[in-house]
Amino acid sequence: MAKALIVIDVQNDFCPGGALAVPEGDLIVSGINARIADFDVVVLTQDWHPAGHSSFASSHAGKAPYDMINLPYGPQVLWPDHCVQGSTGSAFHKDLNMTRPDLVIRKGMNPAIDSYSAFFENDQTTPTGLEGYLRSRGIQALTMVGLATDFCVNFSAVDAATLGFNVTVDQTLCRAIDLNGSLAAARDGMTAAGVTLT
Ligand code: VGL
Ligand code: ZN
């Protein structure tokens, strides 16, 4: 069974010192690099927002980071400004292997819709094209690693399992934001969707 490693959002803004730092986010980089050789295809995702994106608290008067709002497609956590296209924060961690990966999928470019998942924007309907890419490469099994376990890794893993891929999340190569119990909820949701957590 052909398999792909999907490396989610290992970017400066999600590492210590970044705008939306995930604790220990940088500690997974060498372990991810070490696993790359085990896969037929390697895909990186890159959170890639225009300035003024609707997921930024700064785009909503009177709102602070980590407040919730309702957008047309559902509830949305508001974040600090992060991963603005072309900024240092949007760049991949400097030690991530950038030689081997086959494809970089950018997401979150629509100013009105956030995009946690590597497969669909948060409206759950607009595709990124990753499904078609993986199927045309003959990939059936995915291992997901990266940042953050409870947001982009979680949404990507659940969507992939729903699409029929055989999905494993290697939690040792992920780190979480863990906002109001989001990590436990994400683990439950991934397990319910048929994702294997290791
Ligand atoms: C992410 C919040 C906002 C992630 C991206 O990569 O998990 N989280 N944008
Ligand atoms: Zn984002």
Side-chain angles (χ1 to χ4, degrees):
M1 185 155 59
K3 53 194 176 124
L5 180 67
I6 313 292
V7 181
I8 305 286
D9 298 0
V10 179
Q11 294 167 259
N12 292 327
D13 270 341
F14 298 122
C15 291
L20 179 35
V22 180
E24 301 186 345
D26 55 334
L27 297 188
I28 63 176
V29 176
S30 63
I32 291 172
N33 290 341
R35 289 224 51 198
I36 274 177
D38 303 337
F39 293 87
D40 301 294
V41 164
V42 178
V43 176
L44 308 180
T45 71
Q46 188 171 30
D47 210 36
W48 193 250
H49 299 305
H53 191 260
S54 59
S55 75
F56 297 171
S58 63
S59 302
H60 303 271
K63 296 292 181 190
Y66 311 107
D67 285 351
M68 297 286 306
I69 57 163
N70 284 305
L71 289 178
Y73 55 81
Q76 170 72 47
V77 183
L78 293 176
W79 303 108
D81 289 23
H82 66 279
C83 296
V84 173
Q85 297 170 1
S87 64
T88 304
S90 72
F92 290 106
H93 187 284
K94 66 174 173 41
D95 297 331
L96 186 67
N97 181 323
M98 291 300 298
T99 307
R100 171 66 176 78
D102 296 83
L103 177 73
V104 176
I105 286 276
R106 287 176 167 165
K107 60 187 181 65
M109 287 89 87
N110 183 331
I113 311 179
D114 207 1
S115 189
Y116 295 149
S117 167
F119 293 91
F120 296 100
E121 296 185 0
N122 285 9
D123 63 4
Q124 290 292 316
T125 51
T126 310
T128 62
L130 180 57
E131 179 194 5
Y133 176 82
L134 294 171
R135 293 207 195 284
S136 71
R137 296 286 312 263
I139 299 296
Q140 293 158 296
L142 309 181
T143 295
M144 301 216 172
V145 298
L147 306 170
T149 322
D150 39 348
F151 288 91
C152 291
V153 175
N154 170 34
F155 277 65
S156 298
V158 169
D159 281 351
T162 304
L163 288 169
F165 292 100
N166 180 327
V167 185
T168 300
V169 169
D170 183 344
Q171 296 181 94
T172 67
L173 296 178
C174 296
R175 289 295 185 275
I177 296 173
D178 204 10
L179 198 62
N180 305 317
S182 57
L183 179 57
R187 284 185 177 136
D188 289 347
M190 288 191 281
T191 301
V195 173
T196 301
L197 303 178
T198 61

